[in-house]
Amino acid sequence: MKIVVTEAMPTQCAEASTTEANIPQVVLITGAKSQLAQALLRVAADIGELALNSITSANSSTNTGALLKLYALSHSQLDITDAANIAAVFDQYRPSWVINCAAYNAVDAAEHDAIEAHRVNSLGPELLAQQCLLSGARLLHVSSDYVFGGHAVCGIAHATERAVSDAREADFEQHQNPDLAPNSNPNHLPRPFVELDAPEPLSAYGKSKLLGEQKVVAVLGDCATIVRTSWLYGQDGHNFVNTMLNLMRTQPSLQVIADQIGCPTWSDTLAKVIWQLVMQQRSGVFHYSAQGQCSWYEFACEIQRQALALNLLSQPVVIQPITSADYAKQALNRGVNLAKRPSYSVLNSGKLRSTLGVNNALSMPEQIEWQDWCQQLNRMLRRLS
């Protein structure tokens, strides 16, 4: 299979379930200017020719050697909250897949702009799902770890699945770190969230993302594909890594929250697993983040350590840990009301890794998508050096 990123208008192509090998499948990417959309395009360009054994369609036929054409559309080209605009774009491009990267991501601003957050994060995905249902296209919707509230709530009916996911993660961690004792948890932190844990969003942003998931599933049912991710960063756009690097170059000291635990995730690795899901025609709810976990404070310290080693920074700055409560008080004194964030939002990626398999044609060198967050950070920072 070959991925082609093009600006030209595509010819009409068939739906994903009936595409012939010599007819291009079209993938629309919403939110073209987002860091994830840029990563999807960059990873697609890096992949180039894709040697897949087969893609099994809904009618059990196989499709090999197909051409995949990508079109990343900005908000001015596709407003996902405008049903008429969506219909016109679908009629023009005839997509087989839509990857929804468009989102309202201003977590704090959403507290006083909840209507707009819900319009983009809930109504938009619902309208996309409705048009996908009408046209036969598939939808992959990107969601967030902030749908969780910090404590895993798992019903008895799902206890077995959680145990299996925990076992997958423990086996992988043991393989990656032979000196780590099985089931060791020196910090006594909660277990990473699996897909069937009950969401409990704490913020308007988290509520809007959860509602978006629910709307997509309500329309598309088992055909929906939802990927939750966490603490996304990359070389493009506004994110924690770029913000920290800028502050470390201009400020003598920083205060960074030390009591919120999650897992940083490189946008390029998320893009790679998204392409795998598309190529393998997978559906369902999946979690993806890098391996391991840390606080924002630990993340900032690691960014500085690696950036100094790569000569991205000329000298270190003092990084001071601060609690969420103290940070919120300081913000309130400046007239800023911060959204409540989960104290723990680490995601368990065991289901996704098992679903995709370890041997596939899209693996990055050394399977970087399943490596520790420090290793992923190093790969990204090396691109800046």
Side-chain angles (χ1 to χ4, degrees), residues 64-354:
T64 59
L67 186 67
L68 194 65
K69 301 180 75 173
L70 314 184
Y71 297 89
L73 304 183
S74 65
H75 177 266
S76 63
Q77 296 169 304
L78 174 56
D79 179 356
I80 67 169
T81 68
D82 185 335
N85 185 202
I86 295 173
V89 167
F90 271 61
D91 187 58
Q92 179 181 5
Y93 288 91
R94 307 286 182 175
S96 301
W97 274 87
V98 177
I99 303 175
N100 183 31
C101 298
Y104 184 109
N105 290 323
V107 177
D108 295 321
E111 291 301 302
H112 57 78
D113 199 12
I115 293 177
E116 180 64 12
H118 278 78
R119 195 173 73 88
V120 177
N121 292 341
S122 306
L123 174 63
E126 180 181 26
L127 295 178
L128 284 174
Q130 290 172 347
Q131 193 61 45
C132 284
L133 182 66
L134 290 174
S135 66
R138 300 286 298 277
L139 175 63
L140 188 150
H141 176 61
V142 180
S143 191
S144 169
D145 59 325
Y146 281 15
V147 302
F148 294 112
H151 300 282
V153 180
C154 184
I156 294 176
H158 304 319
T160 300
E161 177 159 336
R162 167 172 280 285
V164 170
S165 293
D166 288 343
R168 289 171 183 154
E169 292 292 273
D171 180 70
F172 183 81
E173 290 290 343
Q174 184 70 15
H175 177 74
Q176 292 290 98
N177 303 285
D179 296 331
L180 184 66
N183 300 320
S184 64
N185 189 3
N187 296 318
H188 302 288
L189 292 171
R191 291 179 179 271
F193 288 94
V194 298
E195 289 77 1
L196 288 175
D197 283 326
E200 292 182 329
L202 303 176
S203 63
Y205 166 78
K207 292 173 183 176
S208 71
K209 294 298 289 185
L210 176 59
L211 186 57
E213 291 183 14
Q214 294 169 339
K215 296 286 189 180
V216 167
V217 172
V219 174
L220 296 176
D222 293 339
C223 293
T225 306
I226 294 170
V227 181
R228 294 172 179 151
T229 193
S230 65
W231 294 21
L232 197 64
Y233 69 89
Q235 61 200 67
D236 306 296
H238 179 75
N239 57 67
F240 187 79
V241 173
N242 288 336
T243 297
M244 286 296 105
L245 289 175
N246 289 333
L247 291 174
M248 289 169 185
R249 293 181 181 120
T250 59
Q251 303 296 321
S253 65
L254 302 174
Q255 290 185 323
V256 183
I257 292 174
D259 59 355
Q260 292 176 18
I261 307 299
C263 187
T265 303
W266 182 21
S267 58
D268 284 37
T269 60
L270 174 59
K272 205 274 287 194
V273 299
I274 285 175
W275 283 127
Q276 291 183 62
L277 288 168
V278 170
M279 298 303 174
Q280 296 185 27
Q281 306 283 305
R282 300 291 187 176
S283 59
V285 178
F286 300 97
H287 288 174
Y288 176 71
S289 67
Q291 296 298 305
Q293 57 191 28
C294 65
S295 67
W296 290 111
Y297 168 74
E298 291 169 324
F299 190 17
C301 291
E302 184 65 15
I303 292 168
Q304 175 165 260
R305 186 190 71 80
Q306 293 196 23
L308 287 168
L310 293 170
N311 296 317
L312 292 170
L313 296 174
S314 59
Q315 60 184 11
V317 302
V318 175
I319 306 176
Q320 300 174 332
I322 188 173
T323 67
S324 299
D326 287 341
Y327 191 82
K329 288 178 183 177
Q330 292 182 8
L332 195 59
N333 290 335
R334 300 192 304 269
V336 178
N337 187 21
L338 299 181
K340 189 173 182 181
R341 290 162 167 81
S343 59
Y344 185 87
S345 62
V346 180
L347 301 177
N348 183 315
S349 302
K351 175 185 175 183
L352 179 64
R353 186 165 61 248
S354 177

